[in-house]
Coordinates of all heavy atoms in Angstrom, one line a residue:
E17 N 165.5 109.5 98.7 CA 166.8 108.8 98.3 C 166.4 107.4 98.0 O 165.7 106.7 98.8 CB 167.7 108.9 99.5 CG 169.0 107.9 99.4 CD 169.7 107.8 100.6 OE1 169.1 107.9 101.7 OE2 170.9 107.5 100.6
G18 N 166.9 106.8 96.9 CA 166.7 105.4 96.6 C 167.5 104.6 97.6 O 168.6 104.8 97.8
V19 N 166.8 103.5 98.1 CA 167.3 102.6 99.1 C 167.7 101.2 98.3 O 168.8 100.7 98.4 CB 166.6 102.4 100.3 CG1 167.1 101.3 101.2 CG2 166.3 103.7 101.1
A20 N 166.6 100.7 97.7 CA 166.8 99.4 97.1 C 165.8 99.3 95.9 O 164.7 99.9 96.0 CB 166.6 98.3 98.0
L21 N 166.1 98.5 94.9 CA 165.2 98.3 93.7 C 165.3 96.9 93.4 O 166.3 96.2 93.5 CB 165.8 99.1 92.5 CG 165.1 98.8 91.2 CD1 163.8 99.6 91.0 CD2 166.0 99.0 90.1
R22 N 164.0 96.4 93.0 CA 164.0 95.0 92.5 C 163.4 95.1 91.1 O 162.3 95.7 91.0 CB 163.1 94.2 93.4 CG 163.1 92.6 93.2 CD 162.5 91.9 94.4 NE 162.2 90.5 94.1 CZ 163.2 89.6 94.2 NH1 164.4 89.9 94.7 NH2 162.9 88.3 93.9
L23 N 164.1 94.6 90.1 CA 163.7 94.7 88.7 C 163.3 93.3 88.2 O 164.3 92.5 87.9 CB 164.9 95.3 88.0 CG 164.7 95.6 86.5 CD1 163.5 96.6 86.3 CD2 166.0 96.0 85.8
P24 N 162.1 93.0 88.0 CA 161.7 91.7 87.5 C 162.2 91.4 86.1 O 162.3 92.5 85.3 CB 160.2 91.8 87.5 CG 159.8 92.9 88.5 CD 160.9 93.9 88.3
G25 N 162.5 90.3 85.8 CA 162.9 89.8 84.5 C 163.2 88.4 84.6 O 164.3 88.0 85.2
G26 N 162.4 87.4 83.9 CA 162.8 86.1 84.0 C 162.4 85.5 85.3 O 161.4 85.9 86.0
E27 N 163.0 84.5 85.8 CA 162.8 83.8 87.1 C 163.1 84.8 88.3 O 164.0 85.4 88.2 CB 163.5 82.5 87.1 CG 163.2 81.4 86.2 CD 161.7 80.9 86.4 OE1 161.2 80.9 87.5 OE2 161.0 80.7 85.3
P28 N 162.3 84.7 89.3 CA 162.5 85.5 90.5 C 163.9 85.4 91.0 O 164.5 86.4 91.5 CB 161.5 85.0 91.5 CG 160.4 84.5 90.7 CD 161.0 83.8 89.4
A29 N 164.5 84.3 90.9 CA 165.9 84.1 91.4 C 166.9 84.9 90.7 O 168.0 85.2 91.1 CB 166.3 82.7 91.4
Y30 N 166.5 85.4 89.5 CA 167.4 86.1 88.6 C 167.0 87.6 88.5 O 167.5 88.3 87.6 CB 167.5 85.5 87.3 CG 168.0 84.0 87.2 CD1 167.2 82.9 87.2 CD2 169.4 83.8 87.5 CE1 167.7 81.7 87.3 CE2 169.9 82.5 87.6 CZ 169.1 81.5 87.5 OH 169.5 80.1 87.5
Y31 N 166.1 88.0 89.3 CA 165.8 89.5 89.2 C 167.0 90.3 89.5 O 167.8 90.0 90.4 CB 164.6 89.8 90.3 CG 163.3 89.2 89.9 CD1 163.1 88.5 88.7 CD2 162.2 89.5 90.6 CE1 161.8 88.1 88.3 CE2 160.9 89.1 90.3 CZ 160.7 88.4 89.2 OH 159.5 87.9 88.8
T32 N 167.0 91.4 88.9 CA 168.2 92.4 89.2 C 167.8 93.2 90.5 O 166.6 93.7 90.5 CB 168.4 93.3 88.0 OG1 168.8 92.5 86.8 CG2 169.5 94.3 88.2
M33 N 168.8 93.4 91.2 CA 168.6 94.3 92.4 C 169.7 95.4 92.5 O 170.8 95.1 92.1 CB 168.5 93.4 93.7 CG 167.2 92.7 93.8 SD 167.3 91.4 95.1 CE 168.3 90.2 94.3
H34 N 169.2 96.5 93.0 CA 170.2 97.6 93.2 C 170.1 98.0 94.6 O 168.9 98.0 95.2 CB 169.9 98.8 92.3 CG 170.2 98.5 90.8 ND1 171.5 98.5 90.3 CD2 169.4 98.2 89.9 CE1 171.4 98.2 89.0 NE2 170.2 98.0 88.7
Y35 N 171.2 98.4 95.2 CA 171.1 99.0 96.6 C 171.9 100.3 96.6 O 173.0 100.4 96.0 CB 171.8 98.0 97.5 CG 170.9 96.8 97.8 CD1 171.2 95.6 97.0 CD2 169.8 96.7 98.7 CE1 170.5 94.5 97.1 CE2 169.1 95.5 98.9 CZ 169.4 94.5 98.1 OH 168.7 93.3 98.3
A36 N 171.5 101.2 97.5 CA 172.4 102.4 97.8 C 173.6 101.9 98.5 O 173.6 101.0 99.2 CB 171.6 103.4 98.7
D37 N 174.7 102.5 98.2 CA 176.0 102.1 98.8 C 175.9 102.1 100.3 O 176.5 101.3 100.9 CB 177.1 103.1 98.3 CG 177.5 102.9 96.9 OD1 177.2 101.9 96.3 OD2 178.1 103.9 96.4
S38 N 175.1 103.0 100.9 CA 175.1 103.1 102.3 C 174.3 102.0 103.0 O 174.5 101.7 104.2 CB 174.3 104.5 102.7 OG 173.1 104.4 102.2
V39 N 173.6 101.1 102.2 CA 172.9 100.0 102.9 C 173.3 98.6 102.4 O 172.8 97.7 102.9 CB 171.3 100.2 102.6 CG1 170.9 101.6 103.1 CG2 171.0 99.9 101.2
K40 N 174.3 98.7 101.5 CA 174.7 97.4 100.9 C 175.3 96.5 102.1 O 176.0 96.9 102.9 CB 175.8 97.6 99.9 CG 175.3 98.0 98.5 CD 176.4 98.2 97.5 CE 175.9 98.8 96.1 NZ 177.0 99.0 95.2
G41 N 174.9 95.2 102.0 CA 175.3 94.4 103.0 C 174.4 94.3 104.4 O 174.7 93.4 105.2
R42 N 173.6 95.3 104.4 CA 172.8 95.4 105.7 C 171.3 95.3 105.3 O 170.5 94.8 106.1 CB 173.0 96.8 106.3 CG 174.4 97.0 106.7 CD 174.6 98.3 107.6 NE 174.2 99.5 106.9 CZ 173.2 100.3 107.2 NH1 172.4 100.1 108.3 NH2 172.9 101.4 106.5
F43 N 170.8 95.7 104.1 CA 169.4 95.7 103.7 C 169.3 94.6 102.6 O 170.1 94.5 101.8 CB 168.9 97.0 103.2 CG 168.8 98.1 104.3 CD1 169.4 98.0 105.5 CD2 168.2 99.3 103.9 CE1 169.3 99.0 106.5 CE2 168.1 100.3 104.8 CZ 168.6 100.1 106.1
I44 N 168.1 94.0 102.7 CA 167.8 93.1 101.6 C 166.3 93.3 101.1 O 165.4 93.4 101.9 CB 167.8 91.6 102.0 CG1 169.3 91.3 102.4 CG2 167.4 90.6 100.9 CD1 169.5 89.8 103.0
I45 N 166.2 93.6 99.8 CA 164.8 93.7 99.2 C 164.4 92.4 98.6 O 165.2 91.6 98.0 CB 164.9 94.8 98.1 CG1 163.5 95.1 97.6 CG2 165.9 94.4 96.9 CD1 163.3 96.3 96.7
S46 N 163.2 92.0 99.0 CA 162.7 90.8 98.5 C 161.2 90.8 98.3 O 160.6 91.9 98.5 CB 163.0 89.6 99.6 OG 162.3 89.9 100.8
E47 N 160.5 89.8 97.8 CA 159.1 89.9 97.6 C 158.5 88.5 97.7 O 159.2 87.5 97.7 CB 158.8 90.4 96.3 CG 159.4 89.5 95.1 CD 159.4 90.3 93.8 OE1 159.1 91.5 93.8 OE2 159.5 89.7 92.7
D48 N 157.2 88.4 97.9 CA 156.4 87.3 98.0 C 155.3 87.4 96.9 O 154.4 88.2 97.1 CB 155.7 87.1 99.3 CG 155.0 85.8 99.4 OD1 154.5 85.3 98.4 OD2 154.7 85.3 100.5
N49 N 155.5 86.8 95.7 CA 154.6 87.0 94.5 C 153.2 86.5 94.9 O 152.3 87.1 94.4 CB 155.2 86.2 93.3 CG 156.5 87.0 92.8 OD1 156.6 88.2 93.0 ND2 157.3 86.2 92.2
A50 N 153.1 85.5 95.7 CA 151.8 85.0 96.0 C 151.0 86.0 96.8 O 149.7 86.0 96.8 CB 151.9 83.7 96.8
K51 N 151.6 86.9 97.5 CA 151.0 87.9 98.3 C 151.1 89.3 97.7 O 150.6 90.3 98.3 CB 151.5 88.0 99.7 CG 151.4 86.6 100.5 CD 152.0 86.7 101.8 CE 151.8 85.5 102.7 NZ 152.4 85.5 104.0
N52 N 151.6 89.4 96.5 CA 151.9 90.7 95.9 C 152.6 91.7 97.0 O 152.1 92.9 97.1 CB 150.6 91.4 95.5 CG 149.9 90.6 94.3 OD1 150.6 89.8 93.7 ND2 148.7 90.8 94.1
T53 N 153.5 91.2 97.6 CA 154.1 91.9 98.7 C 155.6 92.1 98.5 O 156.3 91.1 98.3 CB 153.8 91.3 100.1 OG1 152.4 91.3 100.3 CG2 154.4 92.2 101.2
L54 N 156.0 93.3 98.7 CA 157.5 93.7 98.6 C 157.9 94.0 100.1 O 157.2 94.5 100.9 CB 157.6 95.0 97.9 CG 159.1 95.5 97.6 CD1 159.8 94.6 96.6 CD2 159.0 96.9 97.1
Y55 N 159.2 93.5 100.3 CA 159.7 93.6 101.7 C 161.1 94.3 101.7 O 161.8 94.3 100.7 CB 160.0 92.2 102.3 CG 158.8 91.4 102.4 CD1 158.5 90.3 101.5 CD2 157.9 91.6 103.5 CE1 157.3 89.6 101.7 CE2 156.7 90.8 103.7 CZ 156.5 89.8 102.7 OH 155.4 89.0 102.9
L56 N 161.4 94.9 102.8 CA 162.8 95.5 103.0 C 163.3 95.0 104.4 O 162.8 95.5 105.3 CB 162.8 97.0 102.8 CG 164.2 97.6 102.9 CD1 165.0 97.2 101.7 CD2 164.1 99.1 103.0
Q57 N 164.1 94.0 104.4 CA 164.7 93.6 105.5 C 165.9 94.4 106.0 O 166.8 94.5 105.2 CB 165.2 92.1 105.5 CG 165.9 91.6 106.8 CD 164.9 91.5 107.9 OE1 163.9 90.8 107.9 NE2 165.3 92.1 109.1
M58 N 165.9 95.1 107.1 CA 166.9 96.0 107.4 C 167.7 95.6 108.7 O 166.9 95.3 109.7 CB 166.4 97.4 107.7 CG 165.5 98.0 106.5 SD 165.0 99.7 106.8 CE 163.8 99.4 108.2
T59 N 168.9 95.4 108.7 CA 169.7 94.9 109.8 C 170.8 95.9 110.1 O 171.1 96.8 109.2 CB 170.2 93.5 109.5 OG1 171.1 93.5 108.5 CG2 169.1 92.5 109.4

């Protein structure tokens, strides 16, 4: 099941993100470009 997507395009602040309805408002997908690392903060 897809949980979250980060779609690059332009500046990082304007990347498109998608979330499954079940996690909206609780999960955040982010990244650190300097470390080539993707994160998923789950609360």
Side-chain angles (χ1 to χ4, degrees):
E17 171 193 28
V19 175
L21 170 85
R22 191 165 170 87
L23 182 63
E27 294 296 322
Y30 298 102
Y31 287 2
T32 298
M33 288 169 283
H34 293 280
Y35 293 94
D37 288 342
S38 60
V39 307
K40 283 180 181 176
R42 299 188 298 119
F43 291 12
I44 296 176
I45 186 171
S46 64
E47 61 191 14
D48 184 334
N49 290 332
K51 298 180 180 179
N52 297 340
T53 300
L54 182 71
Y55 300 103
L56 185 67
Q57 178 68 57
M58 306 185 294
T59 60

